[in-house]
Amino acid sequence: MKQRVITGAAAAALFLIVLFVPWTAALTIANAAICAIAVYEMLRVTKVIQHHTVGITALVFAALTPFFSRMNGGFVFLIFLLYVLALAVLLWRYRGTVTVDKLAMVLVLSVLVAVPLSCMSHLRLMGERSGDGIFYVLLSLTTAWLSDTGAYFTGTFF
């Protein structure tokens, strides 16, 4: 428990430094690293990757996802379409060892993990126009942390 508290405090301090830096791209870059690490962990735990090429493709997509908030919608759709096309080509290339269900799992995990995490960059950038970007990010994270903490203590006591 002591190690978790120390790690959480260090991560919170680093997060606050990145969040309050006036250069908004710092949060986007940090968020890209977090998205790539989270997708890597999910793919490693589920053991759906048999080829490094598939994993690298998913990690590149996950790392690019936070930068979508800085692009227009048509370009984002094109990147997503290219990602699906790349996975289809990899399915054809490794058709003997990669199955459709495992590749679909890679697609779903990379999208469902990276896109919600990258919303933090979008909230920060969206709030820059009104000056409330930091407030939006802290509000979304605080509500998630409070509800998780409340669920933990409720489950512990009952």
Side-chain angles (χ1 to χ4, degrees):
M1 184 69 163
K2 181 180 178 183
Q3 182 65 31
R4 283 186 180 183
V5 171
I6 292 171
T7 304
L14 183 63
F15 171 73
L16 289 174
I17 290 170
V18 170
L19 182 63
F20 284 103
V21 169
W23 185 50
T24 58
L27 180 64
T28 306
I29 293 168
N31 205 354
I34 291 169
C35 286
I37 291 168
V39 167
Y40 172 75
E41 285 296 318
M42 289 299 292
L43 294 177
R44 187 180 62 81
V45 166
T46 56
K47 296 178 180 143
V48 294
I49 302 254
Q50 285 132 355
H51 293 282
H52 294 295
T53 312
V54 176
I56 290 170
T57 306
L59 293 180
V60 167
F61 176 77
L64 285 177
T65 305
F67 294 99
F68 291 171
S69 61
R70 299 178 177 272
M71 303 174 192
N72 66 15
F75 194 63
V76 171
F77 179 72
L78 180 65
I79 291 174
F80 183 75
L81 192 62
L82 287 174
Y83 176 56
V84 172
L85 182 65
L87 289 179
V89 167
L90 290 173
L91 177 66
W92 177 79
R93 168 73 174 90
Y94 300 114
R95 61 187 169 271
T97 56
V98 175
T99 60
V100 174
D101 58 333
K102 291 196 178 196
L103 207 63
M105 184 72 130
V106 169
L107 175 67
V108 167
L109 286 176
S110 61
V111 171
L112 288 181
V113 170
V115 171
L117 281 173
S118 67
C119 287
M120 189 177 356
S121 296
H122 184 67
L123 284 174
R124 174 76 160 100
L125 190 64
M126 182 182 72
E128 282 302 309
R129 297 180 190 99
S130 64
D132 294 332
I134 294 172
F135 173 73
Y136 293 153
V137 171
L138 288 176
L139 179 68
S140 65
L141 292 175
T142 303
T143 55
W145 289 331
L146 287 176
S147 49
D148 283 348
T149 304
Y152 172 76
F153 285 120
T154 302
T156 300
F157 291 131
F158 296 109

